[in-house]
Amino acid sequence: MAIRPILTAPDPRLKAVSTAVETVDAAVRKLIDDMVDSMYEADGIGLAAVQIGEPKRIIVMDLDQKDGKKNPRHFINPVITWRSEEIATFEEGCLSVPEIWEDVERSARIKAEYLDRDGKKHEIEADGLLATCLQHEMDHLEGVLFIDHLSKLKRSMALRKLQKAKRLKDAG
Ligand code: NI
């Protein structure tokens, strides 16, 4: 088990476009284990590999940890194959944008394809929080943060708040 530090905005490494995983091998599974450990340690519900400085198309997620039972999900090379016209709004946060929570509009339902940690292909139809979380994490693979979906004004306010929180943390 290895907990890895999570990059925070405006770290330029978060802007990298992640590359596809060619072979799901032991190194990939080790990276996935590190991602899961790092996500739980940071009390997150989702994490993309690029957030720990590994620009590979891998996402981990756990949307139902409430009873202390862990149920991590892994998505390798995820691709959205269909989106609903219907839009849903969720208040989003991100481990790479700490302390900031803002409403973001995304497709209410999606279909996606991905590989699991054994390299097996799956198709998923998602709605609600899962659909939002998948789209949020898949944005990370393109170097996009949820604050990039906000208006220019809201985005710069969020970044200022983030810088201030960072300064306080460094000072304290
Ligand atoms: Ni995020």
Side-chain angles (χ1 to χ4, degrees), residues 51 94 136 140:
Q51 292 178 273
C94 179
H136 173 121
H140 278 298

Side-chain angles (χ1 to χ4, degrees), residues 2-171:
I3 289 157
R4 316 249 305 245
I6 294 171
L7 306 178
T8 54
D11 192 310
R13 287 172 289 178
L14 290 167
K15 300 247 181 216
V17 176
S18 295
T19 55
V21 172
E22 283 181 18
T23 316
V24 182
D25 55 15
V28 167
R29 282 187 282 273
K30 166 79 172 70
L31 174 57
I32 287 174
D33 290 343
D34 286 359
M35 288 169 66
V36 169
D37 291 342
S38 307
M39 174 182 77
Y40 286 133
E41 176 69 16
D43 285 326
I45 59 170
L47 189 76
V50 69
Q51 292 178 273
I52 57 168
E54 300 266 6
K56 298 197 174 88
R57 301 187 85 82
I58 306 172
I59 289 166
V60 298
M61 213 177 276
D62 191 343
L63 302 183
D64 36 25
Q65 324 168 17
K66 27 181 188 299
D67 318 324
K69 261 212 224 121
K70 291 175 177 171
N71 181 28
R73 306 173 70 152
H74 325 106
F75 303 87
I76 301 170
N77 297 344
V79 176
I80 293 177
T81 54
W82 174 83
R83 295 175 178 277
S84 66
E85 279 176 33
E86 189 194 336
I87 298 294
T89 305
F90 273 89
E91 191 178 59
E92 295 187 20
C94 179
L95 294 176
S96 293
V97 191
E99 315 284 329
I100 310 285
W101 301 87
E102 292 285 350
D103 281 348
V104 179
E105 290 185 350
R106 299 186 188 272
S107 306
R109 283 173 292 132
I110 59 166
K111 283 184 189 170
E113 289 177 355
Y114 64 96
L115 303 177
D116 66 18
R117 58 179 291 142
D118 298 314
K120 229 173 83 189
K121 192 169 172 175
H122 294 270
E123 191 176 20
I124 188 175
E125 187 162 357
D127 62 7
L129 183 59
L130 178 59
T132 285
C133 202
L134 274 169
Q135 290 170 84
H136 173 121
E137 299 306 333
M138 283 170 74
D139 268 359
H140 278 298
L141 308 184
E142 307 304 326
V144 173
L145 299 173
F146 81 94
I147 50 172
D148 296 329
H149 290 282
L150 306 178
S151 69
K152 229 176 152 184
L153 179 68
K154 274 200 165 170
R155 188 170 171 275
S156 59
M157 275 166 55
L159 280 169
R160 268 206 302 279
K161 199 173 152 193
L162 185 66
Q163 299 279 27
K164 204 175 149 191
K166 266 191 183 176
R167 274 199 303 275
L168 282 174
K169 202 174 149 202
D170 291 344

